[in-house]
Amino acid sequence: SPGQQILRAASVLGQACEQALVREVADGDLAAIEECVARGILELDGDLLRFRHELAQRAIREGLGPSELVALHARALAALRRAGAVDPDRLAHHAVGADDAAAVLELAPEAAERAVGLGAHREAAAHYSACLRFASELDERSRAELLECHARESLLTDDVDGALASQQHALDCWRRLGDVRAEGNCLRALSLVTWFTGDAERAIELAERSVELLESVAAPAHELARAYATLAQRYVVGIRDELDVLFWSERALELA
C-alpha cells in the first residue's frame, strides 16, 4: 500500500527525515503520510517525519529484501543530490547502501576526511573500509593512498590487524609502481604498526630500511625528520645503544 511504501522509504532514510524527501523516495503523496501518522507509526515534527519508536524503524528496515534495500538507497542518494545536499556522511551512507561503486569512491573519502577533522576515527575507518570494497576500480596510486589512510585510522581505533593488512598492501602497491620515496614513507608507517603487533625487531628493520630509501632519493626534510625520529624511537624500545638513539634524534631535530 502507499502507506507501507512511505514506511519503507522512511526506514532507509533514518529515524527522522524531511517529509518531502520521504515522499520523493517512496513516490508517495500526502495522504499516504497522513495514514502513517494516524496509525501512530510516524509523527510530524515541523517539516520532519519521525518514527515514534526506533524499534519500529529498525524492524521495517530489516524486513526489506536486499534488492529493495539497494533500490531505496539509490533513490535516496539521487533525491538528496537533486536537492543539493552537501552532507558527505549522509550521501556516502546511501552510496554504500546502493552498492554504487562510483558514488562510494567519490563520496566516502570526503566523508572520511570530515570525520578525521572531527576526531571520529572509527567512523573515518568505516568510510575508508567502504571504499576498499571497490578499490580494484582505482589506479594503483589511488589504491595505495586509500590503503594508507585506512591503515592510519584503523591503528587509531586499535584495529592493529586491519592497519597491518592495509599498510602491507599499500607497500605492495608502491613497490609495483617503483615509487621509492612513497615506499620509504610507507615503511616508516609500517614500522609503527609492526611495533604495535609486538614484533620490535622487525619494526626496527623496517625503520632502518625506511631511512635508507628516503636518503637514497633525497626526500624532503620533513619526511626524513619523521623517518629519523621513528628510527630513534624504535632503537629506544629495542634497547639499543643510547648513542644510536641520540644520533638519530639529533638528526631529526636538526631537520625539524
Side-chain angles (χ1 to χ4, degrees), residues 132-183:
L132 290 178
R133 286 172 47 195
F134 306 103
S136 61
E137 301 192 21
L138 295 171
D139 62 79
E140 195 90 83
R141 181 171 296 276
S142 297
R143 185 161 55 249
E145 291 171 349
L146 178 62
L147 284 161
E148 291 214 74
C149 287
H150 178 258
R152 181 193 67 231
E153 296 306 306
S154 295
L155 189 61
L156 286 170
T157 58
D158 294 327
D159 179 11
V160 177
D161 290 341
L164 184 63
S166 287
Q167 197 69 46
Q168 186 61 59
H169 288 152
L171 181 63
D172 295 339
C173 291
W174 293 127
R175 284 174 171 167
R176 284 193 293 270
L177 286 167
D179 190 328
V180 176
R181 177 183 164 192
E183 181 183 347

Side-chain angles (χ1 to χ4, degrees), residues 44-67:
L44 279 170
D45 181 7
D47 188 45
L48 293 179
L49 267 179
R50 188 183 305 276
F51 277 91
R52 284 185 180 273
H53 302 288
E54 184 181 345
L55 287 176
Q57 180 221 349
R58 191 183 309 167
I60 293 168
R61 188 182 66 239
E62 291 176 354
L64 297 172
S67 60

